[in-house]
Amino acid sequence: MAREHAVEYADLLLTDSPKLRQRPEPEVWSPLEYACHMRDVLLAQRERVLAARRATTPEAIPMGRDERVEHDGYAEQRPSDVGRQLRDAALLFANVLERLDAADWERTLVFPFPEREERTLRWLAVHTLHELRHHLLDMHRQLDTSPV
């Protein structure tokens, strides 16, 4: 599902809509910013899965989601590059999930969001897919397109 959603993000990023870089409200990210965020979430979650396989209940370091928007210049990035990067990040994330066996899915890490709590890799995977879908719907809504 991560790979499928990434393709849909990439397709939306190819639109020539001026709304792609526009924030509907000052505190609401633009569609491009949401896509950059999800690219970085997939990469961070991949590293967290790998850490949980190497160590017993590691601490997942917060990714600095709000700071990244400015620090990485989300609004200035080229949409086609972000689409390609997002697809690649989804492939990397899916690869580590596909390599988990039944016991690995129950391995845990201390996750910082929404509350600091010990979570399984199963929860991490489901939470990540939820975020992918949620922000994809945000993008569709802002671009006035219908989700497929």
Side-chain angles (χ1 to χ4, degrees):
M1 289 179 71
R3 289 186 294 257
E4 292 170 14
H5 286 337
V7 168
E8 195 171 345
Y9 273 90
D11 288 347
L12 286 174
L13 289 169
L14 294 177
T15 181
D16 60 358
S17 173
K19 293 180 179 181
L20 195 60
R21 293 180 188 271
Q22 291 176 356
R23 286 184 168 200
E25 301 288 332
E27 299 303 315
V28 177
W29 291 342
S30 70
L32 177 58
E33 290 168 325
Y34 277 125
C36 289
H37 169 67
M38 285 314 308
R39 171 202 59 207
D40 290 353
V41 164
L42 287 166
L43 294 171
Q45 298 294 64
R46 175 183 182 264
E47 290 305 314
R48 290 168 174 165
V49 169
L50 291 170
R53 293 193 71 194
R54 286 190 312 271
T56 302
T57 316
E59 179 98 20
I61 299 168
M63 64 179 279
R65 59 169 266 158
D66 294 320
E67 296 84 359
R68 283 175 184 256
V69 177
E70 168 98 15
H71 294 170
D72 197 28
Y74 281 3
E76 291 83 38
Q77 295 186 24
R78 183 188 297 156
S80 60
D81 289 346
V82 174
R84 185 188 72 254
Q85 294 160 358
L86 206 153
R87 286 190 311 270
D88 288 344
L91 289 171
L92 291 165
F93 179 67
N95 178 63
V96 297
L97 294 183
E98 289 168 348
R99 300 181 61 76
L100 298 177
D101 63 25
D104 290 330
W105 283 102
E106 300 310 316
R107 292 186 67 86
T108 60
L109 69 162
V110 177
F111 200 77
F113 183 84
E115 299 284 331
R116 189 176 183 283
E117 188 172 340
E118 192 171 311
R119 303 285 190 164
T120 65
L121 291 184
R122 183 177 314 284
W123 178 90
L124 182 140
V126 170
H127 176 72
T128 304
L129 290 174
H130 165 80
E131 287 296 305
L132 274 167
R133 187 68 189 156
H134 173 79
H135 291 313
L136 188 56
L137 293 174
D138 289 333
M139 287 180 66
H140 276 293
R141 199 170 15 263
Q142 288 181 20
L143 294 170
D144 298 321
T145 59
S146 299
V148 178

